[in-house]
Amino acid sequence: MSEEVVFTVQNLIKTYTGQTRAIDGISFSLHPGECVGLIGESGSGKSTLARCILLMEKFDSGQMWFQGRGMLQPRTASAYRALEGQVQAVFQNPASSLNPRLRIIDSVMEPLDTLKNRTPVMVQDCRQDRLKCAKRLLNMVELPEHLLHQYPHELSGGQKQRVAIARAISSEPSLIIMDEPTSSLDMITQAQIIEMFMTLQKNIGLSCLFISHDLATIQRISDRIMVIQKGRIIDHFAKKALFTSERHAYTQQLIHKYSKRGSKL
Ligand code: ADP
Ligand code: MG
């Protein structure tokens, strides 16, 4: 694994008003091209962590560093501008991440349309040709080009999630956060999207934080796995060590639950 670092977060703390800490001192780094899986029960803080990294949520304290962008503070216009599409996300519900009034081409191109100071290498040769750019992005997520002229409601759940992925990679981010991206889909569609995403991630050298409560998916996609409990990373290991006996007692509990209930934690 490369020693180079794409993203680092140090001692992140986030408290919702009147509650205990939803994120209680989280630190980790991501290397170029690697996928780190994050598992934990419902309410453990996975989505809050994602929203803090995306600067969608104000955090109490802690530091975040993105490659080439320096330290960032949350919720300032300059922080968003500085990010310039370097971190993108795909969430569980594809319907909510796509504007129902926009044709697929406009949803896919939106992050690129707003990028003022950076031309992603991926689309350098077709930056001036919007349709060509959008077609390339759709090809990358293995969707037929004719969908570009349709609206989200005309697409299946799996197709919508592929569009959300195309949109997320359009700005050529160095980090993508996948927050339970396939949880709303049937098993076959889930598996197809995961395989497509793994190929895509390798091809474009994307670093990924992959959040799921589906242990089988996490095991398939991750290089490393982190376990979150009550806003803390309590275990962190290489994928091959998932089922070894030196795992934290809580990780073993999660695995036990998983084996009793099928694929979901
Ligand atoms: P997960 O994604 O692991 O299921 P969340 O990050 O959604 O967990 O939630 C972590 C904790 O923070 C939970 O206790 C949840 O109730 C609380 N929480 C999440 N979002 C909010 C919010 N907007 N306001 C208040 N509390 C919240
Ligand atoms: Mg969540």
Side-chain angles (χ1 to χ4, degrees), residues 16 19 22 40-49 51 57 180:
Y16 289 109
Q19 294 188 24
E41 286 175 297
S42 177
S44 54
K46 304 182 295 297
S47 295
T48 303
L49 176 64
R51 290 196 300 270
E57 192 102 70
E180 313 213 18

Side-chain angles (χ1 to χ4, degrees), residues 152-204:
H153 75 267
E154 299 176 277
L155 273 57
S156 70
Q159 286 175 327
K160 276 188 272 207
Q161 208 54 315
R162 283 174 192 258
V163 170
I165 295 171
R167 176 187 154 88
I169 61 166
S170 69
S171 60
E172 209 166 58
S174 46
L175 167 62
I176 190 167
I177 300 179
M178 306 288 274
D179 189 356
E180 313 213 18
T182 60
S183 302
S184 63
L185 306 171
D186 66 77
M187 294 293 283
I188 292 171
T189 311
Q190 272 191 33
Q192 289 167 341
I193 290 186
I194 295 299
E195 293 309 310
M196 179 279 293
F197 181 73
M198 286 177 74
T199 308
L200 180 65
Q201 195 220 338
K202 256 192 221 91
N203 286 347
I204 61 177

